[in-house]
Structure formats: C-alpha cells, structure tokens
Amino acid sequence: MKKRKFLKLFVVTVCLNYSAQILPFHSIVAEATSGYEDNMAGDIIEQDISIAEIPVEASVAEEAIEVLVAEEAAVAESVVVEEEAAFVEAPVENEVQNIVEAEQFEAAELAPVEAGISPADEVSGITPTAVVNNFDISSDGNEMIPGQWYDLPTYISGKYLADNILNFVESYEVTLTSSASSVTVVPTVIDGSFYLDVSGFSDGEYTVQINAIGYTDWGDGELDPQYWTTPIKIELKSTDAAVIPDATYNPNSIDTSFQGDDNNWVIKNEAGEVVAQGSGEVIDDSILSTLGEGNYTVENTATATTKKGSEVPPTTVTGTFTIRHPESTTTVDKPINPDSITGTQKITDSVLTWEIKDSSGTVVASGTGNEVPQSIIDGLEDGDYTVKFTETSPEGEPHATEGSFTIRYPETTTTVDKPVNPDSITGTQKIPGSELTWEIKDSEGRVVKSGTGSEVPQDIINALENGEYIVEFTEISPEGETHTTNGSFTVRHPEATVSIDKTENPDSITGGQKIPDSELTWVIKDKDGTIIAEGAGNTVPQDVISGLTPGNYTVEFTEISPEGESSVAIQEFVITEAVLADPVDPAESTTPAELAGTTVTGTNNAKPVGSNPTTGKKTLPQTGESNPTWLASFGAMLGLTGLAGFVRRRKDGENS
C-alpha cells in the first residue's frame, strides 16, 4: 500500500507537471525512476497500479501510466541484464578478492536465507526490506561487490545508495559472524558513510552483514522505519612472531613461537653471518650449546596464506643474546718455593676465588682475588701443594684451573761434639740434592779452613792453633736458596814447662802451665825412675831439693787441662857432694854447661792423667861419648855418695 501511495503521488505530480508543460514527461519519468535502477525489476513491475485512483483527467492519466509502465519495464529489464552480465563478466579488480559465480550472487541476493542471512533478522524490531545491491562498499580503497569473498581487509567503508528520494539512512550496524563467534558493532559514520576497522578482529573467515538503518518519508507526515542489508565474506589472517631467550647470557632455550602457518628462524653472529637456522617454536640447547662465545641475533619470521591463496604479510621479530663462559687461569712462577701465585678471570664481573690444598687434599688456605698473598706462601710447611683458581660468572657458571708446587727450604745443622778441643765437627742438609759446605773462622772472622761435605776432617781440627773458632755449615738448595748454621769451639791444649836454674845442685826448680785453670803437678824421680818426691804447684820446694842425695834426677811437671788433657815437661839435674869439698873453679866445673839454668817445655800428649806421658828432656851424654870433664864430675859424684847417704839417713833419723 505504501508503494501505491507513492505511485499516486507520482502520477499526480507527473500529470500536473505535464499539463503545465514545465518539464518533458519522459524527462520527469526518467528522473523519478532513476532511483530504481539498482533494484530488481520485480520491485516495480509487480506494483498494483489502479488508474481509477488517480484524480486527474482519464486520458492524460492513462497515457502517463502507460508510458510509465513501459519505461519502467524497459529499465528493469535492462538493469537485470546488466547486473547479470556484471557478475558473470566482471573483471577481477583486486588480487585479494575472489568473485563468486553469477548464479551464486543472484541466489544470495534473491534468497537471503541461503546466504546465511535470515530476512527474519530484525534490527531494532524492523523487518528488513530486502537484500539489496545498491551499496557502495570498499575495503582499503578497493571496491567490494556484495556477496563476494575478500581476503585480508583492514577496514570496510561505504554507504547505502537510497533507491528513491523517499528513503533515508540514519545509521549502520555491521555483524561479523565466524564459526567461533558472532559480534555486532556500530561503525563510525562520517558524512553519511560508515567506517569499520576490522584489523583488530581475530583471525578467521567471516560473513559480514551490513545493515543500513533508516526510514521512508511518504510526505504525509508518517515516517516508516526501514533498513536495508547486504552481505560480503572476508577472511582475516595475520602473522606474528616472538624471540624470547630464557636468559640474556648463555640461554638454554629460545622461544620462537609464532602466529601464522609457518615460521623460519636464523641465528646470526656479530658479523651478520648465519650460523644456524630452522623452524619451530623453540631453539633448544642442542643448537645453542654449539655456539662459540660472542653476541648473537635471532630473527624469527612468521608467514601465512589465506584460504584463497593470498599471501599474508610476514612478520619478523628479532632478539639478541650473548654466549659467554668463565675461563680462569692459574700461574705459579716457580714449581718449588714460588714467589708468586696468581690467577685471572675472563668476565669482568665474575668472582675469582682460590684455595690451596696439601698432598692429602685438605684445604690449608683460601681467599678471593687474583693473587695468593706472599705471607700465605711463606707460611706453608714443607710439602707438595695444589692451588686452584675458580671463576664464577654472574650466571653462576664456574670454571677452575689448577697449578701445583712444592715447598722445600734448605735447613742445615752444625754439631760440635765438644766446646773445647772437639773431636768431631759435623753438619747435615735437609734436601738430598743440596750442596753442603763448611768453613772455620778465627776470632777475627778470618776463614782459616773450608771445605765441602758433612764433616770437618779430624786432621784439620788437630792442626788448629789454640784460640776461639766458629764453624759454619751452609746448605745450598738446587733452587739456589741457602741456609746456614754455625757452632763455636775453643782449641786449647795444655803445655807444661819446667825450669831449673842450674842442673847441678839447683837452687830453683819451677814449672809453668799454659791454661790458667789447669792443674799443675810435679814429681822427682831418681835414675831408676823411682819417684823420690812429688807435689802440686809450679815450684818444687827448696827443702825437697836440699834433701836429695847426690845422684842423677829427673823432674817432671804435668799440666792437666780442665778437659783432662795433659802435658808433661821433663828435665834432669844432678845432686853432688861438691858443695862439701873445696870450691871448684868454675872453669874446672864438672857440671855440663849445657844443662845449667835451662827451661824445658813439656810435650802435650792430649791424654788424661795416668797414661804414659812422653818426656821432653835434655839428654845426658851417653856411654862411649868423649867428655873428660863430665867423667871427672861423675867420679866426684860417686865419692860423695856415702856422705849423701849419711845425711839422708841422719835426716830420716831426726824425722823419726
């Protein structure tokens, strides 16, 4: 009925205009019907037009109606033919669109249910008028034909072209339906055109129903709500990629997940050279563990194609990581008795520690830093050691290196068996391969004897003069280190002397000793060796001398040192009776001149008292020697023998 109202108004208007001859009739009809050119012919042909209802002159109205029907029928037929040809022969204007067959489009246009859009769908309670073709729609600047398939649009824009001057559009709604969901959105409308950004929708295949919502104004003050709809099909598909190492340094795996159909990743070194490549969502340690130290870049590219074969723009994402491993060093400057033990680290912010273990594996010292303090080295006991420097990277990865060394210092000893007149002077060495030397210095520090070996020969000790000495043994290790010890000793041997003022009837017989704290003794023996008198001290008392009977005697002074060594000095003398006779001229004296007033130095036998000392004496002339003077004296001595014996006996009797 609403279309009949429209036709009534239209015919009246035409007739009035015609009768007034304002515009040619055909021009008016063409203008009035231009809004229908994009509709199906049935929208006009099937209208029920009654001429009787037109309140104008019958002949004019009939003629106008006949012309109108004929014109509209011709236009409708032309529109159908052109639209079918357009769908059959329309060229592909965009690579991403896939045009459906003409009959599919026609079926979709004439039967909305088959296209997935139900005419019973309501927009704000309005039943759609029809699925119409007169929408001007584009995607990313490319024209879209309703009912066709389009790949990868980012936005859809356009407007509904009203099929006559009485239809008005106020707003739009767009419903996107996929296998997973359906959502209706209100697009932005600017200057009568809608704009919808579809780039944010999930990937998938969508049926897009565009609804133009408005009304029809019949001019009678009544507005009839209307909406017009058209379908298109789109596929949304995108790519994305990730590069996520599980660690910046020395990663064990790298996440290369992606969105799309496939991906390809490459690993490049600092020079930009590809060192590894592959596909998949993870780069695992089997690949990463083969990489040398350095900085690396990972490029992960995701690719995809649509169902219709269109290539989706690829996405490439990059990420970086570093391979670095600690690498310590250990340096011992000498294998034996080192002066320096140092270590190094490869990574600046690593932690460097050290420890020293003995031969049993016990840690005897530890610390941090790149050097073992010298005080630690010097404090180590002799033995074999291992030193280890460990670098621990910021990632907690350790690396250790070791070095070994030996502590052995020379250490000699010096042993003097006696502080005075030693019989043995020896030294020892600690290291078998060392050299051992010795030297003897006097009290003024002058070296008087030296040699090598562990013992000072005895003949060298015996040959030393009396005095104070220091003996030093020095051990020189194979490393050239030295160690010296010393000992002191004294060489002092007794040396007794005897002095007789005259060898015939002496008035004084004295002895001397070399060592102040020695013991000095004396004995007088007759010619048979029988001890006649003995005593201690350095002087034979005068009364002992006076009490001697005429005869030949020997006097022995013995010095016994504190060490028990002895020295005996022996001298002979004669007691005669000449003192009782007339004085004898000295020139005629029978006393051997060489025996008068002599001093005899005793020999040092270096033996304890009680041994048989060697005598040091002036030897009397032996039998057969020519010495008349001595013989005369000897005769006089024999003459006095009886008197001496008497005097002795007398003294003995007096003493008794």
Side-chain angles (χ1 to χ4, degrees), residues 316-337:
T316 298
V317 175
T318 63
T320 61
F321 66 94
T322 299
I323 298 296
R324 67 177 187 182
H325 300 293
E327 187 175 340
S328 67
T329 65
T330 298
T331 302
V332 180
D333 69 336
K334 295 187 297 184
I336 299 176
N337 305 330

Side-chain angles (χ1 to χ4, degrees), residues 537-549:
N538 60 357
T539 302
V540 177
Q542 188 60 47
D543 60 342
V544 172
I545 299 173
S546 301
L548 295 175
T549 60

Side-chain angles (χ1 to χ4, degrees), residues 62-63 69 102 142 205 231 285 330 348 441 460 471 490 495 530 545 604 616 619:
E62 286 181 1
E63 184 179 356
V69 171
N142 299 311
E205 299 174 16
D285 191 56
T330 298
T348 303
K441 298 178 181 179
I460 290 179
V471 60
T490 300
E495 189 175 333
T530 302
I545 299 173
N604 179 4
T619 305

